[in-house]
Amino acid sequence: MPGTVRRRRHTVTVKQVREIDRVVIRFAGDSGDGMQLTGDRFTAETASFGNDLSTLPNFPAEIRAPAGTMPGVSSFQLHFANYDILTPGDAPDVLVAMNPAALRANAGDLPKGATIIVDTADFTSRALKKAGYESNPLEDGSLSAYKVHTVDLSGITMEALTPFGLSRKEASRSKNMFALGLVSWMYGRSIDGTVNFLEEKFAGKENIRDANIAALRAGWNYGETTEDFAVRYEVKPAALPSGTYRNITGNLALSYGMIAAAKQSGLPLFLGSYPITPASDILHELSKHKRFGVRTFQAEDEVAAIGAALGASFGGALGVTTTSGPGVALKGETVGLAVSLELPLVLVDVQRGGPSTGMPTKTEQADLLQVLYGRNGESPVPVVAASSPSDCFDAAIEAVRIAVTYRTPVVLLSDGYLANGSEPWHIPDVDTLPAIAPGFATEPNHQADGDEKPAEFWPYLRDPQTLARPWAVPGTAGLEHRVGGIEKLDGAGSISYDPANHDRMVRLRQAKVDGIAGIPDLDVDDPNGDAQLLVLGWGSTYGPIGAAVRRARRAGHSIAQAHLRHLNPMPANTGEVLRSYDRVLVPEMNLGQLALLLRGRYLVDVVSYNRVRGLPFKAEELADVIMEEVGSL
């Protein structure tokens, strides 16, 4: 309990400090309240402090949804701890709600006893009605199960900013900084990094800069001096492996991975892209790195974007194109052309919710069958899936390795959860990154027996190990050749409609993908070796599955876990692993696409668990499913 110490005429409140091992905080407000910025800044300070963390931004697709309404609510959730964590948390321990709509949209996710910090400024009859409330929840007892702190964040902020001469509207925009300062005080986060950020961001707008810094410090001081917040919480740094870390989102990690892969292959990186949520940040980031030989092209549409990327590959560059599900559909014909040309190309699909336009800012992993089979003809394409925000870096390098080595388009799957979520990234030693050799053709490669003519260049002669055809940069003397979408004669590359040749070419292209080397065996985490149930996932389900398996094991159950990075071709031992367990559970954010593939390919009757809500799985939800499956064995 807080105590008081009397010194002369002043009373100093002594705050209690309570150590905890983890906490989940959610900032929620109107789309214009700066919740994403607030969460980003709190995350940055938490990463600097040394906690392990995971984040979940959640915002509307509209640029400016109706203010004060449920569809207009934007939130940012951060889970940080003094140990290794895998998810952004199932439910917030602390909710910071900036208006009635934010409270109503998020209160249902709160466990009993959770803390709510609510800005009371907008709890007017009109605002309550717009949010769907029939009565004021701050007065009707509906929040009695929670620890509610009612604070006039807007009013206190505007009062603190009176000396700056800002209008009421301008001053109210800084309330997110006040909230950030208050929560930073509650959890012992420094605000120095945010001060530096504001000084840089508003360097040319001194009044705005100083007002935001003043609001930030006012929030901190409010927590320090008010008696309403009697306890501060301490979450000590996590014991992570030694090294240099930084906080990173999936889109940023993927961008860095592409740059690193280009450097490791000695190829200039060309990105042809059309802006689409949630992949656009990759285009934004790569456009900043011309000094690394990166060239970006914002095309007029998805078809032009991939066409330019494939043209860059034909010219000897590393061609990359980025998109989401709707763009994958439009790019399908050109992916088929890349299969026929047998040129390196990386297609990044940052998956999002729903068919057609769907839910652009919500996550899903329902494009698997599309990227595998959504093209005409037999057009096999390797598919690699990232499992976490930081893993997007390594997955990007692997996708480029396969594309360059095997002369094939490769699909790299991410999703909205990975793209926008963040976690600490252990920055790798550049010397440990794999070398990627493009091995350009430099001389003719075919001389017919007894032919006295000069040697020729045949564009479809194949490496006996990789089955990759030679990659000849246009303009290389003596290596003139024909390419195109019409079927080629094996070896020579001239146009061929011969039935036997077509059958051979189809099988060669498939064999090339099936024979990709360097794919490690499927690794199974089965501590005791006696588990009857295997939980298998792919993509961003890695974190929720891992957290759920931990819970089930703590409850005394023996559970095995495995995760697929390579979805085409799959690891060579996949069938053996599946058949070695009595039951295989496959959770997916779709209606069972991987489960369908596993059943058809390996004749194993896997159990499918599916949710398509636009949100990641909750660990508690999956743990219940896992324990139910174990109990039925």
Side-chain angles (χ1 to χ4, degrees), residues 77-94:
Q77 183 164 304
L78 166 67
H79 180 194
F80 61 99
N82 62 8
Y83 60 90
D84 172 43
I85 58 175
L86 298 172
T87 75
D90 286 357
D93 304 300
V94 179

Side-chain angles (χ1 to χ4, degrees), residues 502-514:
H502 175 58
D503 185 82
R504 175 173 173 76
M505 292 296 287
V506 166
R507 295 179 187 279
L508 278 170
R509 289 187 288 259
Q510 184 65 57
K512 181 175 66 172
V513 173
D514 291 341

Side-chain angles (χ1 to χ4, degrees), residues 87-148:
T87 75
D90 286 357
D93 304 300
V94 179
L95 171 65
V96 181
M98 307 299 281
N99 62 19
L103 177 62
R104 185 163 182 261
N106 293 279
D109 294 337
L110 298 174
K112 290 183 178 180
T115 297
I116 301 175
I117 302 171
V118 60
D119 183 4
T120 60
D122 286 336
F123 276 72
T124 63
S125 297
R126 182 173 180 272
L128 288 168
K129 184 177 181 181
K130 188 183 290 187
Y133 280 115
E134 295 182 359
S135 60
N136 190 336
L138 304 181
E139 300 172 352
D140 63 11
S142 60
L143 300 178
S144 60
Y146 312 112
K147 301 172 185 175
V148 182

Side-chain angles (χ1 to χ4, degrees), residues 337-421:
L337 176 59
V339 170
S340 178
L341 296 177
E342 298 190 49
L343 283 172
L345 177 71
V346 177
L347 167 58
V348 177
D349 176 10
V350 186
Q351 301 164 95
R352 68 190 206 184
S356 186
T357 309
M359 301 191 298
T361 61
K362 310 304 179 184
T363 195
E364 206 163 281
Q365 50 175 184
D367 292 351
L368 179 57
L369 294 181
Q370 178 181 210
V371 299
L372 283 171
Y373 303 117
R375 293 170 299 280
N376 60 293
E378 294 287 348
S379 50
V381 170
V383 178
V384 176
S387 60
S388 72
S390 62
D391 184 56
C392 287
F393 177 86
D394 298 310
I397 293 176
E398 174 66 354
V400 173
R401 179 192 75 84
I402 294 173
V404 171
T405 304
Y406 292 88
R407 312 289 197 252
T408 179
V410 176
V411 175
L412 171 56
L413 289 173
S414 176
D415 61 39
Y417 168 40
L418 299 184
N420 296 314

Side-chain angles (χ1 to χ4, degrees), residues 422 466 549 606:
S422 63
T466 65
V549 168
V606 302

Side-chain angles (χ1 to χ4, degrees), residues 228-249:
D228 191 33
F229 293 89
V231 180
R232 294 183 68 183
Y233 300 92
E234 180 182 10
V235 181
K236 291 185 176 180
L240 300 173
S242 61
T244 302
Y245 288 81
R246 62 154 294 168
N247 185 49
I248 200 163
T249 65

